[in-house]
Amino acid sequence: MAKRSLALQLDEVVQAMLVSLRPRPEKAPDHELASLARVAEVLRDLPREEFRAALKSDLQRRASMSEGTAARTGEAKAKTVHYQRPGLTAITPYIIVRGAAQFIEFLKSSFEGVERMSVPTPDGKIMHAEVAIGNAAIEVSDGSEAYPNAPAAIHLYVDDPDATYARTLQAGAISFYAPTDDHPSGDRWGAVKDAFGNHWYIAKPKGWTPGPEGLRSVQPYLHLREAHKMIPFMEAAFEAEAMGVHKSPEGIVHHATIRIGDATLEIDEAHGEFQPMPCHLHVYVPDTDAVYARAMEAGATSIEAPRNAPYGDRAAGVKDPWGNSWFIATYLGQ
Amino acid sequence: MATRRPVRRGSAKGADVSVRLGTGRNDERWLVKAAQSDPAKFDALYELHFERVYAFVASRVRDRATAEDVTSEVFHKALANLQGYEWRGVPFVAWLLRIAANAIVDHAKRAAREFPAPDDPPEPAADLDLQASELRAIEHRAQLFRLVGRLPEVQKQVVYERFVEQRSIREIAERLGKTEGAVKQLQLRAVQNLRAQMESGRG
């Protein structure tokens, strides 16, 4: 029998199998075709490669959670919220950089970051990584054409801002200013820019004690034009709560802290060296579809409509009027 | 239960296959111990057994989404309950498949609550007793899944496009920039390759 006709015959069998969902292909006329059909029948159940990889990284994350988190999170440990992915708070900065592997080394050496998981791309870049810092985390990915670099400004609460500041400089960051007690926040506070373009505001509370919920180690800090409009946007989209708003008499926001779920971020009016840096934020909410709809109503544009992501989240994406990307997620977990 | 696979005889190829599939029992015992003391090492067990668990589950549920849900549940449960596994000559895979059988029943019950189908009651899994023939079928399917990963790139692509994405020959031809006849030939080559490797692996 000619090759070509075998190819056609096999495809007829495959086609019938895929379309009809018959448990078995019809009896094939000859032995040759029958044995090929048996192989094809098994291929119908071939697992998706993406699923295999996603489940693996999910398990890695779960495994690293069960290891040493109790010691790390201490009293600020958030109570488990069913719609949040274990190990992540309600707001996690998602930093896209060229050279993600070196960036992760920077997080380790400067901030005692712990790499909790890392999913490589076939060409050895980092598709997705998660680095725990204190009681929260930062997500990291290598830039690509689809996802250009997006550094962020992040406020870290640490035990020893002076030592942390010194480590960042050793690791290649440049200083905006060394930790000082004269920062308007009242905290001891220093600021650096790392080699990847991210800003780090390194601080320790001074003269106040965090509440029972503890201190959030990682808070994204958004410098915005017309920052005052962000507060109603976040209230409308995320049912966020503005916790402390310092405005000038003209209504310019000098500083505001805004809470979503168990996490907070900060905003101020862009000024001087601290200009807007549209970034990516990964936000866990109880109902992705509702938040997506409200965000769109509040003026966001869609990046991605809600869908069930293969790693087990209900996920969606929007861009706010300032150009920040919000990846909205609900952990479907178990 | 008849879960103990006969030790592969003879050829070096056979021995290699048995290690790859985690049937080198002493190695596996060591891997389980390592994972019990350090959950991060669960990875290795996942790598060894993913295809088997998936093959088992996929053959017993209706669609891909359910197969993925259940497989995911099996490995999460296995990780969470790893301390409860004791090595008493029961291969780790048998333990995983027992979890899988229970998860399939749970899933069917949940589905039945949402879409009752009284004429189709789930069978209880408590007395899961896999026949040797079924275990061999699972091994066979798992091995085939693995072999797909080692096909020449374009054949592999055709297999995924055709069987996983379930695209038509015409769509695949467009996506790959080939004629429909060429795609059918690639499909044939891929399936022939897999058949040949399965036969030689049986050695």
Side-chain angles (χ1 to χ4, degrees):
Chain A
M1 193 168 291
K3 263 277 151 93
R4 176 162 171 76
S5 92
L6 186 57
L8 289 178
Q9 287 180 58
L10 175 64
D11 191 58
E12 276 164 23
V13 173
V14 169
Q15 183 64 26
M17 213 151 63
L18 293 177
V19 171
S20 73
L21 294 178
R22 260 196 301 262
R24 285 189 164 276
E26 276 173 15
K27 266 273 178 279
D30 63 69
H31 173 75
E32 171 77 351
L33 189 57
S35 67
L36 293 174
R38 279 195 296 275
V39 171
E41 193 198 342
V42 176
L43 291 179
R44 207 176 53 178
D45 284 339
L46 185 66
R48 292 186 306 126
E49 288 176 305
E50 297 84 358
F51 168 69
R52 193 186 197 282
L55 177 55
K56 179 172 175 170
S57 57
D58 217 20
L59 291 164
Q60 283 173 334
R61 188 204 313 258
R62 185 62 64 107
S64 70
M65 284 303 300
S66 59
E67 274 173 85
T69 41
R72 266 207 307 283
T73 52
E75 58 187 42
K77 184 173 194 280
K79 62 176 186 296
T80 310
V81 182
H82 63 91
Y83 60 83
Q84 280 173 215
R85 189 165 277 277
L88 294 183
T89 60
I91 309 174
T92 304
Y94 201 117
I95 297 180
I96 301 181
V97 290
R98 201 152 297 160
Q102 294 96 302
F103 178 58
I104 290 169
E105 288 311 308
F106 171 79
L107 297 178
K108 288 182 186 167
S109 62
S110 296
F111 308 126
E112 297 172 341
V114 177
E115 189 173 348
R116 256 197 320 234
M117 66 174 257
S118 178
V119 183
T121 62
D123 55 351
K125 290 184 174 173
I126 289 175
M127 187 192 297
H128 176 82
E130 200 180 295
V131 180
I133 294 179
N135 57 26
I138 290 175
E139 291 171 294
V140 180
S141 176
D142 256 311
S144 66
E145 268 179 45
Y147 289 98
N149 289 6
I154 293 174
H155 173 196
L156 295 180
Y157 273 120
V158 299
D159 292 335
D160 184 345
D162 294 78
T164 304
Y165 169 83
R167 286 199 302 268
T168 64
L169 298 189
Q170 262 168 18
I174 51 174
S175 177
F176 287 118
Y177 49 86
T180 167
D181 286 339
D182 291 333
H183 191 266
S185 65
D187 292 341
R188 184 160 184 83
W189 183 294
V192 302
K193 180 178 189 167
D194 69 27
F196 307 87
N198 304 289
H199 290 192
W200 300 96
Y201 309 141
I202 301 162
K204 180 180 184 169
K206 213 177 63 190
W208 60 283
T209 317
E213 75 286 357
L215 204 53
R216 277 283 152 227
S217 303
V218 174
Q219 294 182 84
Y221 202 123
L222 308 178
H223 306 299
L224 306 167
R225 296 221 164 78
E226 302 197 300
H228 58 281
K229 292 186 180 168
M230 179 56 99
I231 297 170
F233 173 80
M234 285 183 61
E235 285 170 344
F238 300 102
E239 296 180 320
E241 180 195 0
M243 294 169 69
V245 182
H246 300 277
K247 282 185 181 176
S248 75
E250 302 81 43
I252 292 172
V253 174
H254 290 316
H255 180 262
T257 300
I258 307 175
R259 180 182 67 82
I260 297 176
D262 67 356
T264 49
L265 58 71
E266 294 161 284
I267 63 170
D268 70 6
E269 188 69 29
H271 61 285
E273 292 169 297
F274 305 106
Q275 290 301 312
M277 312 169 62
C279 65
H280 296 229
L281 298 164
H282 192 187
V283 182
Y284 276 91
V285 298
D287 183 347
T288 289
D289 294 65
V291 169
Y292 175 82
R294 288 200 305 262
M296 296 292 285
E297 209 164 290
T301 53
S302 180
I303 297 171
E304 182 179 50
R307 64 179 178 117
N308 287 331
Y311 46 86
D313 283 357
R314 183 77 179 162
V318 299
K319 191 166 271 194
D320 69 25
W322 293 267
N324 301 291
S325 302
W326 300 78
F327 292 100
I328 306 161
T330 303
Y331 178 60
L332 302 176
Q334 38 194 13
Chain B
M1 67 197 195
T3 49
R4 189 182 290 255
R5 270 160 45 87
V7 175
R8 286 185 180 277
R9 284 154 295 138
S11 73
K13 188 171 270 166
D16 172 49
V17 166
S18 105
V19 168
R20 200 174 60 245
L21 292 180
T23 47
R25 293 162 60 87
N26 290 332
D27 290 353
E28 187 181 74
R29 180 172 191 167
W30 186 85
L31 289 176
V32 172
K33 281 206 154 145
Q36 281 174 332
S37 59
D38 176 5
K41 303 226 163 82
F42 186 70
D43 258 22
L45 292 166
Y46 176 77
E47 286 295 334
L48 281 174
H49 294 298
F50 171 83
E51 276 74 17
R52 290 165 160 179
V53 170
Y54 191 91
F56 174 75
V57 173
S59 68
R60 291 185 168 215
V61 302
R62 219 162 296 174
D63 55 51
R64 184 175 295 278
T66 311
E68 293 187 352
D69 282 357
V70 173
T71 302
S72 169
E73 200 178 318
V74 171
F75 281 104
H76 274 109
K77 278 195 176 147
L79 175 60
N81 298 307
L82 203 53
Q83 304 303 337
Y85 172 73
E86 283 178 54
W87 195 277
R88 284 191 190 141
V90 183
F92 190 66
V93 68
W95 188 69
L96 286 175
L97 295 184
R98 196 175 305 147
I99 296 176
N102 285 321
I104 290 165
V105 171
D106 285 351
H107 213 275
K109 280 186 190 153
R110 278 201 298 275
R113 270 202 298 278
E114 283 165 43
F115 308 102
D119 53 328
D120 189 18
E123 45 182 288
D127 56 348
L128 171 78
D129 188 8
L130 291 174
Q131 299 301 311
S133 64
E134 189 174 4
L135 277 171
R136 270 200 303 279
I138 294 167
E139 289 293 349
H140 176 83
R141 291 152 58 83
Q143 194 184 348
L144 193 56
F145 292 163
R146 286 175 177 274
L147 287 171
V148 171
R150 289 194 259 150
L151 285 174
E153 192 54 37
V154 64
Q155 289 180 21
K156 182 175 133 184
Q157 218 168 337
V158 168
V159 166
Y160 274 102
E161 295 266 336
R162 188 74 171 128
F163 291 94
V164 177
E165 305 297 334
Q166 306 210 345
R167 293 190 211 280
S168 69
I169 292 287
R170 176 174 302 173
E171 255 182 297
I172 299 171
E174 273 169 25
R175 290 167 65 88
L176 300 185
K178 296 189 182 299
T179 64
E180 292 184 30
V183 172
K184 285 179 191 168
Q185 281 295 340
L186 284 165
Q187 176 175 259
L188 175 63
R189 290 272 156 64
V191 174
Q192 282 176 327
N193 261 334
L194 292 169
R195 183 185 60 180
Q197 291 184 58
M198 288 305 290
E199 280 167 1
S200 72
R202 246 176 238 155

